[in-house]
Amino acid sequence: MAQLLDGAGKLVWVLLRSVLRFTFMFINNCVAIPSYCLYLMLLQPLRIWDSSVFWHIEGIMFKWLLAMVSSWGWVAGYTVTEWGDDVRPISEEEAMVIVNHQSTGDVCTLMMCLQDKGTVVRKMMWLMDHVFKYTNFGLVSLIHGDFFIRQGKAHRDKQLVYLKEHLDKYYHSRDRKWIVLFPEGGFLRKRRETSQLFAKKHSLPHLTHVTLPRLGASHVILKTLGAQQENGSVGGDTSMLNTTANKRKGLQWVIDVTIAYPKARPMDIQTWIFGYRPPTVTHVHYRMYPIKEVPVEAEALTDWLYQRFVEKEDLLAHFYDTGSFPPPEGQKEAVSRQMTLDPVWLCLIQSFAFASGYMWYSVLQYIYCCLF
C-alpha cells in the first residue's frame, strides 16, 4: 500500500510539473514571439535605411528566442555533452552543417548546443520540413529567412529550384554564415525501412542508426554558395582567416554533426515542453571538413555523403555499445566537453521577454482606447 501511495504521489508531481511547465511555456510564447514581431515592425524604417543593422538586431533577438527554447530543456536537466572537433574557432566562417535526424528534439538540441558558438545562432539559416512552418516558431523562422522544404517525389524538383532562389535572395543579403540541414529527409523511424530496401536493391551499406542521405539540398547549397573549381570540388582557402567581412569567401567548411541519445531513445518536442523524462544528457559529435575536400559533382557528392553517413552509423553503434564516441584517429582516448548555459543570462532574457510583452500590451491597449 505504501509503494502504491508513493507511486501515486510521484505521478501527481509529474503531472503537476508538466502542467506548470506547459503554462509557463504558453505564456512565454505569447509574450516573446509577438514582441519579436512588433519590435521588427517598429524597426522597418531602419531596414530601408540600413538593412545590415536591421538584420544584426533581428539576429540578436532571434538568438534570444532560441535561448528561451534552450532554457526549457535546461531547467528540466536536459543537457548536452560535445565530442570531436571544436567548431568554435570557425564560428565566423561560412559552413554547411549536416545532421542526422531522429526526432523533433534534434532541433531543440541544436538550439541549445550552438548557443555558445559565437554569432552562429543569429547568423544561421535552417532548412526544415514545411510542417514546422505551422508551429509556434514558424512565424519567427519565416521572418528570419529559414527555408521550409516539402518532402516527396512530387515536390522534389520544384523545391530545389525554390531553395536556390531562396539562397540567392536571402543568404548573403542577411549575412548568413551557417546553413543547417538534415540530409536524410525525415525522421529515422519513418525512413529506416525504405532506406534499407533501397540500399539492398542498389548494393549499398545496410544502416540501422541512420538512413541513406538525399543529395538534392546539399548539392544545391554547395553549387550556390561555393565557387566550383576545375577538380570538381568547391573552392575555398581556409588559411585566409583575416579577410575583411565585406569580402565573402563562400562556404569554407562542411560540419558533420551526429546526435546520439542514451539507449537510442530520442527526445521529442513534447519531452522538452512537459519535462516528464528524468534529466538526460544528449551527446553531440562534430567533425569538420574543409570545403576543398568536398566534391560538388552529383555522383561524387553522393558517394561522399554516403560515406559520411556510414561513419555516423559506426559512431552511433560505438556510442550505444560503450556510452561514448570513439577517439579520433591517432588518439587513444576521446575527450568530451560539457556544454553549459549561463543561468543569469537566461534569466535576463526571460525577464526582457516578459517586460517587453507587458510594454507592448500596454501600448496596444492605449492605442485601442484612443481609437475606440
Side-chain angles (χ1 to χ4, degrees):
M1 186 66 177
Q3 289 182 343
L4 183 63
L5 289 174
D6 184 54
K10 290 181 179 179
L11 178 61
V12 169
W13 166 241
V14 169
L15 292 174
L16 178 61
R17 187 177 61 179
S18 297
V19 170
L20 291 174
R21 283 178 59 88
F22 177 81
T23 302
F24 173 79
M25 291 172 198
F26 178 79
I27 298 172
N28 200 183
N29 277 294
C30 288
V31 297
I33 295 176
S35 295
Y36 166 87
C37 297
L38 289 167
Y39 277 126
L40 294 183
M41 288 176 61
L42 186 66
L43 291 172
Q44 285 305 304
L46 176 61
R47 182 179 180 181
I48 298 172
W49 180 55
D50 191 338
S51 63
S52 62
V53 175
F54 173 86
W55 290 113
H56 177 83
I57 296 171
E58 184 277 335
I60 292 173
M61 291 193 292
F62 182 79
K63 180 176 181 177
W64 290 351
L65 286 174
L66 267 60
M68 292 177 199
V69 177
S70 303
S71 71
W72 302 346
W74 186 261
V75 297
Y78 304 147
T79 58
V80 172
T81 294
E82 299 178 315
W83 303 75
D85 296 333
D86 185 358
V87 299
R88 286 173 294 185
I90 65 166
S91 62
E92 294 298 323
E93 299 185 51
E94 294 184 33
M96 181 177 76
V97 183
I98 56 175
V99 192
N100 63 311
H101 207 10
Q102 300 183 59
S103 72
T104 50
D106 298 340
V107 175
C108 300
T109 298
L110 289 173
M111 287 180 179
M112 177 183 286
C113 67
L114 296 179
Q115 283 291 326
D116 67 343
K117 307 298 186 294
T119 63
V120 163
V121 174
R122 65 181 178 86
K123 291 188 175 184
M124 71 194 304
M125 178 182 288
W126 295 78
L127 265 68
M128 57 186 79
D129 193 279
H130 78 287
V131 173
F132 281 95
K133 187 188 297 185
Y134 308 104
T135 65
N136 60 316
F137 223 72
L139 179 60
V140 173
S141 292
L142 278 172
I143 294 172
H144 184 69
D146 297 329
F147 184 77
F148 298 94
I149 191 165
R150 281 184 174 272
Q151 305 294 341
K153 293 181 179 179
H155 307 285
R156 190 170 300 162
D157 293 339
K158 191 175 291 185
Q159 289 296 301
L160 295 179
V161 173
Y162 292 157
L163 173 59
K164 185 182 187 313
E165 293 174 350
H166 186 89
L167 293 173
D168 289 336
K169 186 175 181 180
Y170 297 118
Y171 186 82
H172 293 304
S173 65
R174 299 187 181 183
D175 193 28
R176 299 296 175 243
K177 296 292 185 182
W178 286 20
I179 183 164
V180 181
L181 69 154
F182 302 94
E184 291 165 291
F187 298 140
L188 173 63
R189 68 179 187 277
K190 293 183 177 180
R191 290 209 62 242
R192 178 159 39 202
E193 185 178 352
T194 303
S195 175
Q196 290 174 347
L197 289 173
F198 179 87
K200 184 177 181 181
K201 182 178 179 181
H202 294 87
S203 301
L204 295 169
H206 180 87
L207 305 176
T208 302
H209 305 303
V210 294
T211 64
L212 291 171
R214 293 171 176 172
L215 174 68
S218 302
H219 193 213
V220 169
I221 291 168
L222 288 171
K223 294 197 74 172
T224 305
L225 302 181
Q228 187 175 353
Q229 301 296 295
E230 291 182 1
N231 62 2
S233 298
V234 179
D237 183 1
T238 57
S239 65
M240 296 174 60
L241 300 179
N242 297 320
T243 304
T244 60
N246 292 328
K247 187 177 180 181
R248 301 188 72 112
K249 297 181 292 181
L251 291 176
Q252 297 295 296
W253 303 90
V254 172
I255 303 173
D256 185 6
V257 178
T258 304
I259 299 176
Y261 298 95
K263 299 180 181 178
R265 290 180 57 212
M267 294 179 64
D268 51 29
I269 189 65
Q270 297 95 310
T271 307
W272 277 69
I273 292 173
F274 295 107
Y276 49 76
R277 185 183 291 192
T280 302
V281 180
T282 302
H283 297 259
V284 179
H285 183 278
Y286 303 96
R287 186 169 180 185
M288 305 186 305
Y289 296 90
I291 201 68
K292 61 184 178 182
E293 296 180 5
V294 182
V296 74
E297 295 303 323
E299 185 175 347
L301 179 59
T302 299
D303 293 339
W304 189 88
L305 283 173
Y306 283 173
Q307 187 177 350
R308 300 289 74 76
F309 276 77
V310 169
E311 290 174 0
K312 284 179 181 291
E313 175 79 9
D314 295 337
L315 285 171
L316 289 168
H318 188 281
F319 177 84
Y320 296 140
D321 287 341
T322 66
S324 64
F325 285 110
E329 189 175 347
Q331 297 184 20
K332 295 182 178 180
E333 187 176 349
V335 179
S336 63
R337 306 173 295 276
Q338 185 70 32
M339 187 270 164
T340 59
L341 292 174
D342 185 353
V344 176
W345 179 63
L346 293 176
C347 288
L348 289 173
I349 290 173
Q350 291 286 10
S351 299
F352 178 76
F354 282 97
S356 296
Y358 177 76
M359 180 197 73
W360 283 114
Y361 173 78
S362 300
V363 168
L364 294 175
Q365 186 183 45
Y366 175 78
I367 293 173
Y368 179 85
C369 291
C370 290
L371 293 177
F372 303 102

